[in-house]
Amino acid sequence: MLQLSDGIKKALVIAPTEILPSKLRVSLRKKHLGQLELARAQRANLLIIGHPKSGNTWLKVMMSRLYQVRYGLPSSKLINTDELARKHPGIPRLAATNGCYSYEQVVGNLLTPQAHDNILKHKPVLFLARQPIDIAVSWYHQFTKRQSRAKQELINHSIDHPIDRHSIGLWDFVRHSDIGLPFLINYLNTWYDNVQALDRAAIIRYEDLRAEPAETLTKVFQLMGETFTEQEIDEAVAFGSFDNLRKLETSGHFRQGGMRLQNANDPTTFKTRRGKVGGYKDDFSEAQVAELEQLVRDHLNPALGYRL
């Protein structure tokens, strides 16, 4: 029996609806993409929850590398859906989602403490956290330079004040937009609380993945019940280093998913754009940095470890 990939299934939702009026197009896409998102999460062996630019793709690259080596797969083949698991049952099915925007909210809604009992609550769930100001800056570049038109339209229809990516500046996006820093602080607080109520869940921080990649990656596989040797982990970490991924992305090595090259002439469009912890301090004035950091101090749950 022919099984379509998740990418093709998404295309079969997006392409036919392109000619429809905006409101109807968004409604149908949200409904049917939500169904696909939920089905993918239900099939998954591990749910990865993280806001865009929290290290989701980087983590999947390192995880994919371990299975690439184990099963002799091309290094360009990332575990984005479950096609690889159909050919190699030992490869896990991963489902990565932000759990909040548009159709992806269907998964997030089932992982709240208030949600009725369901299969997702009993799966291994990994939440990726990152310093929210760093997320906000990288999210600006993602939203304005890399985001597909279809995904951007869906996000804009889910917020009160739609964003024009062609005109909005970094400060206005980070400080004043509906998906800027105040929203991100609330997002992190909400998911910290959600994780505490789940059966098998863990939080890892982007900064820990940077500082101690091997140890942090090992914790991820412990959550999954999977084992790799120290040498295998070290090789995956080396493959996933910023310099190596920048080289591979620049050369167009990756043909799928979030690592695909967008514009070789504009480094701000790269997925491996900077990879710097605390890099936001290079983007704002001292007064702006102080204002953003005060928001974090006043509103972010200190248990996340980002109170400056």
Side-chain angles (χ1 to χ4, degrees), residues 237-258:
V237 167
F239 181 82
S241 69
F242 181 87
D243 289 341
N244 188 54
L245 290 185
R246 169 58 73 92
K247 180 179 69 175
L248 293 174
E249 182 181 5
T250 304
S251 68
H253 180 75
F254 298 103
R255 300 292 183 181
Q256 62 175 142

Side-chain angles (χ1 to χ4, degrees), residues 55 57-66 68 75 78 206 209-214 217 232-250 253-254 259 270-276:
T57 302
W58 176 36
L59 174 63
K60 286 194 294 181
V61 167
M62 289 191 288
M63 294 178 72
S64 297
R65 182 59 181 170
L66 288 159
Q68 288 164 3
S75 60
L78 302 182
Y206 176 92
L209 201 55
R210 280 279 172 214
E212 299 180 321
L217 195 57
E232 288 173 318
I233 294 284
D234 288 343
E235 197 278 337
V237 167
F239 181 82
S241 69
F242 181 87
D243 289 341
N244 188 54
L245 290 185
R246 169 58 73 92
K247 180 179 69 175
L248 293 174
E249 182 181 5
T250 304
H253 180 75
F254 298 103
M259 287 299 299
F270 288 10
K271 194 70 173 179
T272 50
R273 187 182 62 86
R274 185 160 59 184
K276 182 178 180 181

